[in-house]
Amino acid sequence: MKKEKNRYFILVMAAVTNFCYGCGYIWTVFQTEAKSRFQLADAEANRPFSIFMALFVIRNILGGKLQQKFRSRTVVLAGNALMCLGFLLTALVPKEFPWILNITYGVLSGIGAGTAYNALVAVVQKWFPDRRGLVTGITICSSGSAGLIMSPICNQCIAVFGFSNAMLIVTLIYVVIGFGGGYFIDSPPEGYEKRYPQPSHVAVSSRQFMASEMVHTREYYLIAGAYMLAVPAYFLINPMMKSLGLARGLTESVAVAGVMAAAVLNVAGRLLAPWISDRTGRKPMLCALFLVSLLSVTGLIWVGSGLFLLLVCCVAFAYGGFCAVFPVITSDYFGSRNAGMNYGIVMIGTCISSLLCPSLTSIGTGFSFGVAAVCCIAGSALMILLKKPGQA
């Protein structure tokens, strides 16, 4: 008889592996060098990140579908391979053809990272139905820590070796971590969730929705719409965090330190928000995050220097919280059996936001941050309209 794997070991391996899939957030360090190397304007230099995030979201849907046909380990390893291929090809892009960055970093790496990320988030929820918020937060905060750990590494590598060689070093790091941890990922046996029932104070649906059933519910559109409105503030600031900090009067070293500080708060949001939501409920937590994001992005229209860094960190905290709580609220309302596929479809709105954000940036930061503030207000309204999960 095959020995069942320890669920805490799976959680550790999922968290280690998921570190790789915060790779989109390191573009804020590479963006400054890319502008200089390829002679790009802000909107053009931000586009690889935006495409990465859009394809990351779309591939979450396909990744969820693949999990229904293949082992979680297979999906994770295949996604990591494609992501690393995208990084490798990004390092080889000629200066004369900057548009290729949109394909290598944006399309290939975004598809690969989204595939693996989705599989990891879904599998830990299946192993821990009794602690869904906490383990989702632990797994997702690992990807958020990529900005904290990788930003100074990437910045130093760029300074010493240049854009291309720095990207090659990043590729090697993600090959080692992604394949080393991903090899140990596996799903629990059938019926495993019955051993660890949800706490009685957590409201969850008694139905296990298929994606085709979920999209016909009112709750789906409220949750997906709120998620779409939650992310513009961070998507607008993240790819130009360093360069905008320099424009607001920060020194090079302080701007890089700001990127790292924002990454710390991003990680903190991913860990703390879902853990708190296990106790207070998902809706109150999400409404609080919308309020933090609203106040912060509104202030970013005007402020500079140290206050600029503080508000950027607040936006990062709220975004980290959104990333960790929305997968959990999706499982609460639509069940964990098809969590990968369902969460991927909930993320469709974030794909739309990601594609629109570069166009807002090209109009001006003041206008774009104002739009993000309005989105926060609208997202809060959708959360207020959301009722408790049905028990039918």
Side-chain angles (χ1 to χ4, degrees), residues 18 21 37 44 62 81 90 100 130 198 284 312 328 335 359 388:
N18 210 36
Y21 312 121
R37 175 181 172 83
E44 294 172 317
L62 299 179
T90 297
I100 298 178
D130 55 327
Q198 277 273 7
V312 165
V328 185
S359 298
K388 290 183 178 181

Side-chain angles (χ1 to χ4, degrees), residues 255-334:
V256 173
V259 172
M260 295 174 61
V264 172
L265 270 295
N266 190 331
V267 171
R270 291 165 187 252
L271 185 59
L272 293 176
W275 176 67
I276 295 172
S277 76
D278 278 341
R279 290 153 175 77
T280 65
R282 317 300 182 203
K283 280 180 58 175
M285 188 70 250
L286 287 171
C287 287
L289 293 172
F290 272 117
L291 179 60
V292 170
S293 190
L294 168 63
L295 297 176
S296 301
V297 77
T298 302
L300 285 171
I301 297 174
W302 300 286
V303 304
S305 192
L307 190 53
F308 170 83
L309 287 182
L310 175 62
L311 295 184
V312 165
C313 288
C314 290
V315 170
F317 177 87
Y319 174 73
F322 288 133
C323 287
V325 177
F326 272 105
V328 185
I329 198 173
T330 300
S331 295
D332 286 350
Y333 276 79
F334 307 114

Side-chain angles (χ1 to χ4, degrees), residues 48 51-52 55-56 82 101-112:
I51 295 175
F52 178 99
L55 270 296
F56 182 93
L82 185 59
L101 295 171
N102 297 327
I103 299 174
T104 57
Y105 190 95
V107 176
L108 295 180
S109 293
I111 289 176

Side-chain angles (χ1 to χ4, degrees), residues 58-118:
I58 292 173
R59 193 56 186 180
N60 264 268
I61 300 173
L62 299 179
K65 188 68 174 179
L66 288 174
Q67 290 174 65
Q68 298 173 354
K69 297 183 178 181
F70 303 99
R71 294 178 65 183
S72 298
R73 177 192 302 165
T74 302
V75 177
V76 170
L77 295 179
N80 192 71
L82 185 59
M83 183 195 76
C84 291
L85 174 62
F87 280 141
L88 175 63
L89 295 178
T90 297
L92 304 177
V93 173
K95 294 181 180 179
E96 298 80 11
F97 302 102
W99 58 268
I100 298 178
L101 295 171
N102 297 327
I103 299 174
T104 57
Y105 190 95
V107 176
L108 295 180
S109 293
I111 289 176
T115 300
Y117 176 94
N118 179 284

Side-chain angles (χ1 to χ4, degrees), residues 65 68 205-223 330 333-339 341-343 345-346 392:
K65 188 68 174 179
Q68 298 173 354
S205 173
S206 59
R207 286 185 59 185
Q208 298 291 330
F209 285 77
M210 297 288 291
S212 57
E213 298 172 320
M214 178 185 71
V215 297
H216 288 96
T217 67
R218 173 178 179 269
E219 290 76 14
Y220 163 72
Y221 291 98
L222 292 174
I223 294 172
T330 300
Y333 276 79
F334 307 114
S336 60
R337 183 177 303 164
N338 303 300
M341 184 72 173
N342 291 345
Y343 179 54
I345 295 176
V346 165

